[in-house]
Amino acid sequence: MSVSGLCQICESRPAQERCDNCGTLACEQHYERGLGLCADCAAQADPGRQEDVDIHRF
């Protein structure tokens, strides 16, 4: 699948993937390839995880 635009999480790097859960465009750093999820959805799936997630983004 082709994805174009900026990462909707960091808003600075080119998006390379789309989250299977919410559809967010994510750069390589903010996408969990093994889960198919953006960093935000991956953090919600595993609340004990401490990644680069901005809880004040919404």
Side-chain angles (χ1 to χ4, degrees):
M1 167 174 48
S2 176
V3 175
S4 63
L6 287 178
C7 173
Q8 293 176 303
I9 297 174
C10 67
E11 298 179 348
S12 62
R13 291 189 263 320
Q16 297 171 328
E17 303 289 344
R18 181 179 301 273
C19 179
D20 292 342
N21 184 53
C22 69
T24 294
L25 297 177
C27 65
E28 186 175 291
Q29 183 175 353
H30 292 106
Y31 186 77
E32 294 293 329
R33 190 172 304 277
L35 298 174
L37 302 175
C38 69
D40 290 345
C41 288
Q44 289 176 9
D46 183 4
R49 175 189 156 94
Q50 296 295 319
E51 280 293 318
D52 184 17
V53 177
D54 182 0
I55 61 171
H56 302 289
R57 182 173 77 107
F58 299 105

